[in-house]
Amino acid sequence: MHLPIDYETLRLIWWLFLGVLLIGFAIMDGFDLGVGMLLPVVARSDLERRVMLNAIGPVWDGNQVWLILGGGAVFAAFPTIYATAFSGFYLAMFLTLLALILRPVGFDFRNKLQDRRWRAVWDTGLFIAGFVPALVFGVAFGNLLQGVPFSFDADLRVTYDGGLLGLLNPFGLLAGLLSVAMLAMHGAAYLVVKTEGEIQARARRALRLAAPAAIALFVVAGLWVAWGLDGYVIASAVDGAGPSNPLAKEVARVPGAWLDNYGRHPWMLAAPLLGLGGAALAWLLAAGRRELPVFLATAASVLGIVATAGVSLFPFLMPSSLEPKASLTVWDASSSQFTLFVMLIATVIFLPIVLLYTGFVFRVLRGKVTAGYVEKNSSSLY
C-alpha cells in the first residue's frame, strides 16, 4: 500500500511526538510532583498543607494523562524500546508505580480523619509520591546516556544484565538529583501562582534555592557528558526506510560523541540554553511581584533540560553498553510504516482535543487557593 508519508519521515515525526509527550509530562505533571516534594518544606501547619494540596488537587489526575500518552506512544510506535525498557528498568518502574499509587490514595484518605498522626502519614506518602518518581525518571535518563546493559540474540530476544542497584551509579544519581531540583523549582513556581501570603513567600524562597541547584547540576552533568562519558555513533550505513532490525548496523563508542549533534545542527544549542536561561530568569523574577512569568520561565527550563537529553541522544533511543550494535535507534526500533501512519492520524485528531481540554480546565480553575476558602469548604476539599 502506498502511503503519502515515507517511512523515514514517519519515524522522525514519531521521535518528535515522543519528545513532545515526555516534555508535556515533565511540565504538566512535573509541578504536581514538585508541590508534593515541597509539602514538608513550604507548609508549616495542617491548613497550609491543605492549601498546597488543593492547589494541585483538581488538576493532578488530568496532568497524569501525559504519562499515559507517553507510555502508549512508546508501546505503539517503538515497541522494541517498550519491551527492552521493561526488561531493564522493571524494578525501577515498579517502584515508581508504587510511589504514584500513593498520590490518589493520599488525596482520598488524608482528610478522612482529623487525627494529626493520620494526616502526617499521608503527608509523608504524598512527599514520597513526588520525590521518588522525580528521582527515578532522572536516573533513567542518566543511564540512557551511559548505555544500558542489554543485548539481543539472533531471534531478537532481549537479555538484560543488570539490576536496580546498577542504575544507582554516580552519573545516574546526578541526573536524578537534577530532575528533583528541576521539578522542585517548577512546583515552587506553581505555588507562587496559586497561593498567597506566607505560603507564597516560602515558595519564592524555595524556588530561589532550587533554581541555582538545577543550574549547577545541569552544568556539572553537561561537563561530565562532554569529558567523562563515551557517546555512541553509528559506524555503518543506515537505511532510514529499512526494516526494524537493531542488529543490522555497526555502532562505536566515542568519547564526547553526545555533543556531535550540536556541531552538525547548531540550532540544537537552543535546548541547553533554554534550560539554563529559563532557570536563571525564574530566579530573577522570583524576587519581584511577577507570578505567571515565573511559572512560564520554569516551564521553559524544564522543556530545555528534557529536550537537551533527547537531542544529545538522537538518533539513539536506548544505547546498549553490553553490545553497542544492539543499541536501539529511531531507524531500527519502530513499528511498521502503516502502523505509524494510522497512529499519526489518530494523534493529529486527539492531541489537539487533549490540549484544548487542558487549557479549558486551567482557565476554569484559574485564581488562587486561599486559607479562608479551604476553611470555609473544609468538608468538601482535600
Side-chain angles (χ1 to χ4, degrees):
M1 178 185 297
H2 178 72
L3 298 175
I5 305 178
D6 64 81
Y7 201 7
E8 184 174 5
T9 302
L10 281 170
R11 284 167 160 167
L12 183 58
I13 289 172
W14 272 101
W15 174 78
L16 291 171
F17 268 144
L18 181 59
V20 168
L21 294 173
L22 291 176
I23 290 170
F25 167 70
I27 292 175
M28 299 305 298
D29 207 31
F31 68 76
D32 296 338
L33 301 177
V35 171
M37 285 189 283
L38 293 173
L39 197 60
V41 176
V42 172
R44 295 289 187 272
S45 66
D46 180 68
L47 179 59
E48 290 183 346
R49 284 187 283 274
R50 293 191 67 197
V51 169
M52 291 177 62
L53 294 178
N54 281 282
I56 60 172
V59 298
W60 73 266
D61 49 353
N63 291 339
Q64 201 156 285
V65 168
W66 290 93
L67 177 61
I68 298 170
L69 290 174
V74 174
F75 174 77
F78 299 103
T80 312
I81 297 291
Y82 188 89
T84 306
F86 266 87
S87 296
F89 298 152
Y90 179 80
L91 289 178
M93 290 181 177
F94 185 72
L95 180 64
T96 302
L97 179 61
L98 288 178
L100 290 175
I101 289 172
L102 286 174
R103 186 156 54 166
V105 175
F107 275 114
D108 287 341
F109 283 92
R110 183 190 187 277
N111 204 36
K112 299 298 183 184
L113 297 177
Q114 297 290 332
D115 184 74
R116 179 179 60 83
R117 290 171 295 181
W118 170 267
R119 293 188 172 184
V121 168
W122 293 115
D123 289 340
T124 302
L126 289 166
F127 166 77
I128 294 171
F131 177 80
V132 171
L135 180 69
V136 171
F137 290 140
V139 168
F141 269 100
N143 278 274
L144 288 179
L145 287 163
Q146 295 176 96
V148 182
F150 69 90
S151 61
F152 292 104
D153 63 16
D155 296 319
L156 296 184
R157 288 175 297 195
V158 66
T159 299
Y160 180 79
D161 186 18
L164 178 61
L165 294 180
L167 299 175
L168 302 179
N169 52 74
F171 184 78
L173 289 173
L174 173 65
L177 292 176
L178 169 58
S179 177
V180 168
M182 175 185 75
L183 297 187
M185 170 187 71
H186 195 40
Y190 183 75
L191 290 175
V192 169
V193 175
K194 294 293 291 184
T195 63
E196 61 183 15
E198 284 299 314
I199 299 177
Q200 186 190 63
R202 294 190 203 107
R204 288 183 185 274
R205 289 195 290 271
L207 190 152
R208 287 178 65 82
L209 291 174
I215 291 172
L217 290 167
F218 190 41
V219 170
V220 172
L223 295 175
W224 196 327
V225 168
W227 292 311
L229 289 185
D230 288 344
Y232 290 66
V233 295
I234 298 176
S236 61
V238 174
D239 182 4
S244 290
N245 181 0
L247 298 181
K249 66 179 183 303
E250 296 297 328
V251 173
R253 299 183 66 174
V254 180
W258 289 140
L259 302 183
D260 289 352
N261 282 339
Y262 300 103
R264 289 193 293 265
H265 310 287
W267 61 267
M268 289 184 174
L269 288 169
L273 292 176
L274 190 62
L276 294 170
L281 181 61
W283 183 86
L284 292 172
L285 292 173
R289 296 184 178 181
R290 308 294 293 274
E291 296 178 356
L292 183 59
V294 175
F295 180 76
L296 295 177
T298 59
S301 180
V302 172
L303 186 159
I305 291 172
V306 177
T308 297
V311 298
S312 298
L313 283 165
F314 183 82
F316 291 91
L317 295 172
M318 193 171 183
S320 169
S321 60
L322 196 61
E323 186 182 7
K325 70 175 297 182
S327 298
L328 300 173
T329 74
V330 174
W331 315 124
D332 57 28
S334 73
S335 295
S336 68
Q337 182 181 5
F338 181 74
T339 300
L340 295 181
F341 180 71
V342 171
M343 288 174 52
L344 176 61
I345 294 174
T347 302
V348 169
I349 294 173
F350 290 106
L351 185 58
I353 295 175
V354 173
L355 293 172
L356 288 172
Y357 177 75
T358 301
F360 171 76
V361 168
F362 276 87
R363 177 172 175 79
V364 170
L365 297 174
R366 66 188 183 278
K368 293 184 178 293
V369 178
T370 65
Y373 176 78
V374 172
E375 286 183 310
K376 183 179 179 180
N377 299 276
S378 181
S379 61
S380 62
L381 295 178
Y382 296 114

